[in-house]
Amino acid sequence: MEDPAPETQQLRSVSDFTPPPAPARPPPPAPPSGRAAKASLSLQLRDFLLVYNRMTELCFQRCVADLNYRALTRQEEACLDCCAGKLVRSNHRLMAAYVQLMPSLVQRRIADYEAAGRDPAPPAALPPPASS
């Protein structure tokens, strides 16, 4: 009897299996170091806190009507869930649009910068010195 084709042979043990070599990947970019990393992290945290505070304020003003009780009513809780959900979804959509548009904006800025570098504008005239 013939040996079955290699495609139909079953492995007899785990040691018979050799995984294919992994494709070569470029190394990940190095994270920013020092002051640049701290500044970037600080800006990201500030932006997150601004969005969070705006969302909290807006949803609180829309949904919480009665401050006589410690706990939220069911209506208030449902309203807050819907409000926060809407704002989070809209923020995700805005970020997705931003991510799509950003490369074209960067390319346009680079082109504008290069055009300005090749064709410099004439220097502006300085105002006459003020007399005392």
Side-chain angles (χ1 to χ4, degrees):
M1 190 166 179
E2 295 179 23
D3 276 345
E7 297 85 34
T8 60
Q9 284 183 349
Q10 291 184 352
L11 297 175
R12 294 193 178 101
S13 72
V14 175
S15 63
D16 291 344
F17 177 73
T18 55
R25 286 190 199 172
S33 61
R35 291 183 186 175
K38 288 180 182 178
S40 174
L41 187 60
S42 174
L43 286 174
Q44 289 174 0
L45 179 62
R46 183 187 62 120
D47 290 343
F48 167 76
L49 290 175
L50 285 173
V51 169
Y52 177 80
N53 287 336
R54 283 187 205 133
M55 180 182 74
T56 303
E57 183 73 22
L58 182 68
C59 291
F60 182 83
Q61 288 176 354
R62 285 185 181 176
C63 298
V64 178
D66 189 7
L67 297 175
N68 293 329
Y69 302 101
R70 266 188 143 161
L72 296 170
T73 65
R74 288 185 184 184
Q75 278 184 320
E76 290 171 337
E77 196 169 333
C79 179
L80 287 168
D81 285 342
C82 288
C83 180
K86 280 183 186 178
L87 291 174
V88 167
R89 284 189 299 276
S90 66
N91 190 27
H92 281 265
R93 291 177 73 187
L94 284 171
M95 287 295 114
Y98 176 77
V99 166
Q100 285 181 337
L101 291 175
M102 195 57 191
S104 63
L105 293 173
V106 168
Q107 290 297 326
R108 189 180 315 153
R109 281 189 181 168
I110 290 172
D112 291 346
Y113 180 74
E114 287 175 349
R118 278 185 260 145
D119 193 343
L126 294 175
S131 58
S132 304

